[in-house]
Amino acid sequence: MINTSGIISTEEKYKLILENFFNSHFDKDFLVSHGLDHHRRVWNNAKELLQYFKYQFDQLFLQKLLIACYLHDIGMSVDTGIKHGQHSRELCILFLKEHHLEETDYKDVLSAIENHDNKDYDNSIVTDQLQTILSVADDLDAFGETGISRYLEIYLERGIDKQLIATAIRENARKRFDNFEMTFGNNPELLKKHRERYLVLDNYFKNNYL
């Protein structure tokens, strides 16, 4: 159940300052796959997911989710590898300080940001709703035509062997889709929509790179 008024007021208060902060730390011509547009899409994905909960989240949660969606990959400006979540956390702390928000009140945001890119899903149960929504919303942006270009740019940036890249992408995307299905699979319409997007990506790398 989506809190429309809460989302509108949260966006009015924080969206622009988050985008300005992001742009001040992330070169718009660097790593387009993880630039501001990616973070905008992740926020839109998160808003879509909120519709499938049976209860409304309060405005503080929405504020935290917006911050997490907009800053989860900002650390790519420092390190495009597996440690970027840590750098994103540090930059989020800077954002909180600049806007007089107490770090102790946003520990869940910082944890979600730091751990959002655990795509091995080795924790059997993630009970934190903030991290769950952020992670799935981020995963959904890896599918479809957008996902094809995003995967290629970041995997080439990370130096993955071109002979192995298709297999690596398909394996990573499968884990993302499996996690999405496990978390939101009881919503047939949502599942159908994003399964089709997942298959666009999977079929592309199956048919063009293997």
Side-chain angles (χ1 to χ4, degrees):
M1 184 180 299
I2 195 162
N3 182 353
T4 303
S5 61
I7 286 176
I8 291 173
S9 58
T10 298
E11 289 182 334
E12 289 176 344
K13 187 173 183 180
Y14 285 103
K15 189 174 181 181
L16 181 60
I17 62 175
L18 280 164
E19 292 197 356
N20 288 338
F21 180 84
F22 186 92
N23 285 331
S24 70
H25 291 275
F26 203 106
D27 187 340
K28 66 178 182 179
D29 296 321
F30 170 72
L31 207 65
V32 175
S33 59
H34 289 74
L36 183 57
D37 284 342
H38 163 61
H39 294 77
R40 288 170 173 161
R41 291 192 301 269
V42 170
W43 169 238
N44 286 332
N45 290 341
K47 289 191 289 184
E48 178 183 35
L49 296 175
L50 291 175
Q51 300 178 54
Y52 293 89
F53 287 87
K54 295 181 179 180
Y55 50 87
Q56 285 191 353
F57 291 98
D58 62 27
Q59 192 157 345
L60 177 59
F61 180 89
L62 296 175
Q63 174 183 314
K64 290 181 174 183
L65 182 60
L66 178 66
I67 292 172
C69 286
Y70 265 90
L71 298 184
H72 70 281
D73 274 342
I74 193 173
M76 288 275 190
S77 61
V78 181
D79 184 345
T80 60
I82 60 174
K83 293 184 178 180
H84 73 271
Q86 298 174 26
H87 296 291
S88 295
R89 176 192 176 107
E90 292 168 4
L91 285 166
C92 183
I93 291 173
L94 178 61
F95 173 83
L96 296 175
K97 288 180 179 178
E98 287 185 1
H99 295 281
H100 311 290
L101 300 171
E102 291 293 333
E103 180 180 337
T104 53
D105 294 334
Y106 290 82
K107 289 182 179 180
D108 49 353
V109 177
L110 298 173
S111 177
I113 287 175
E114 183 172 6
N115 297 298
H116 77 276
D117 208 38
N118 174 18
K119 302 310 180 188
D120 289 327
Y121 307 104
D122 49 12
N123 296 321
S124 57
I125 299 177
V126 177
T127 57
D128 184 83
Q129 295 283 32
L130 186 68
Q131 183 173 334
T132 296
I133 296 172
L134 173 63
S135 181
V136 174
D138 184 40
D139 288 346
L140 293 180
D141 197 48
F143 304 151
E145 297 291 340
T146 298
I148 293 169
S149 59
R150 288 192 63 234
Y151 264 117
L152 285 173
E153 182 179 41
I154 188 61
Y155 274 36
L156 290 172
E157 170 69 23
R158 290 174 175 173
I160 295 177
D161 190 324
K162 291 183 180 180
Q163 300 298 317
L164 305 175
I165 200 167
T167 299
I169 290 172
R170 293 184 69 207
E171 175 65 13
N172 184 270
R174 182 192 59 78
K175 290 179 180 179
R176 290 176 186 254
F177 182 78
D178 287 350
N179 181 61
F180 164 66
E181 185 174 28
M182 180 181 67
T183 310
F184 289 93
N186 59 338
N187 301 284
E189 182 180 351
L190 183 70
L191 184 62
K192 179 177 183 294
K193 173 185 174 180
H194 292 295
R195 178 185 283 116
E196 290 174 355
R197 297 180 59 247
Y198 162 68
L199 290 175
V200 167
L201 176 121
D202 188 65
N203 288 333
Y204 178 85
F205 287 105
K206 179 180 179 179
N207 296 327
N208 290 280
Y209 279 81
L210 295 182

